[in-house]
Every structure is written in structure tokens, then in C-alpha cells.
Amino acid sequence: MISLTDAAARKIQQTITRRGHGEGIRLGVRTTGCSGLAYVLEYVQEYKPSDSDINYAQSDFVVLVDKKNEVYLQGVTVDYVRQGLNEGFEFRNPNERDRCGCGESFRI
């Protein structure tokens, strides 16, 4: 299960509205950094159902995860956080074993 905080859902919906098009987001991971994996959040312009995707649909948009990334994202909560002049999406993953010092990558 993937969950979004109210702040994350609002920010995603605002971004889709501001762009004037789009149907949701795609969450995934890529290999990088000190610890090995980094979270990826991309906006989806057009949703086409696929056997390789899991759709964690919200009321106003889709949240897609490729089945091969599900093992890394199981139980993740996505939040949108503002701290001083910085703002962005934050991923809370109960399966993380380790995170690099700069916070850019993690390990399961």
C-alpha cells in the first residue's frame, strides 16, 4: 500500500491543475548514490492501464507504481514538507534499513 498525506495530495493536484493537464504521478526507484536507491516521482500526462502498473488511485488522480518497484515502495507514505526556504516531497518508508548522510539515497 502506498499512502499520501493531505499536503502531498494537495501539492500534486495543484501541480496538475497549474500545468493544465495530467492525470497523476508515477512513483519508483532508481539505482544511485551512496546507499544504492533513490526515490523517483514523475508526473503522468496520460494514464493508459498496463499490466506492469499498480494503480493506487486517489479521488482526483492516479498514483502508479511499476510492479518491479513495488517491493521497494511497499508501505511508503509520501508527504510534502516545507522547512524554511526548502520544500519538496518526502518519502517515509518503513522498510528502509539505511540512508546516506545527504539523504539522497537509501537501502532496503
Side-chain angles (χ1 to χ4, degrees), residues 1-3 27-32 35-40 54 56 65-78 91-99 105-108:
M1 181 72 188
I2 307 290
S3 60
L27 298 175
V29 296
R30 63 182 165 89
T31 304
T32 190
S35 295
L37 298 169
Y39 296 105
V40 177
I54 300 169
Y56 294 97
V65 174
D66 189 302
K67 287 181 180 178
K68 67 182 178 186
N69 288 317
E70 182 186 26
V71 67
Y72 304 111
L73 298 172
Q74 195 63 23
V76 161
T77 298
V78 181
F91 298 86
R92 291 191 294 265
N93 188 339
N95 302 307
E96 278 186 23
R97 281 192 337 191
D98 194 18
R99 196 175 264 247
S105 62
F106 69 98
R107 185 172 16 160
I108 299 279

Side-chain angles (χ1 to χ4, degrees), residues 5-78:
T5 65
D6 290 341
R10 271 192 311 274
K11 182 62 176 179
I12 292 165
Q13 188 59 52
Q14 288 170 353
T15 302
I16 291 169
T17 301
R18 188 183 75 234
R19 288 176 168 208
H21 62 289
E23 297 197 35
I25 60 169
R26 175 178 295 281
L27 298 175
V29 296
R30 63 182 165 89
T31 304
T32 190
C34 313
S35 295
L37 298 169
Y39 296 105
V40 177
L41 184 149
E42 302 172 323
Y43 285 88
V44 175
Q45 298 307 316
E46 183 179 346
Y47 170 57
K48 296 178 185 174
S50 167
D51 289 340
S52 66
D53 286 332
I54 300 169
N55 184 353
Y56 294 97
Q58 302 296 299
S59 58
D60 297 326
F61 53 86
V62 298
V63 177
L64 303 175
V65 174
D66 189 302
K67 287 181 180 178
K68 67 182 178 186
N69 288 317
E70 182 186 26
V71 67
Y72 304 111
L73 298 172
Q74 195 63 23
V76 161
T77 298
V78 181

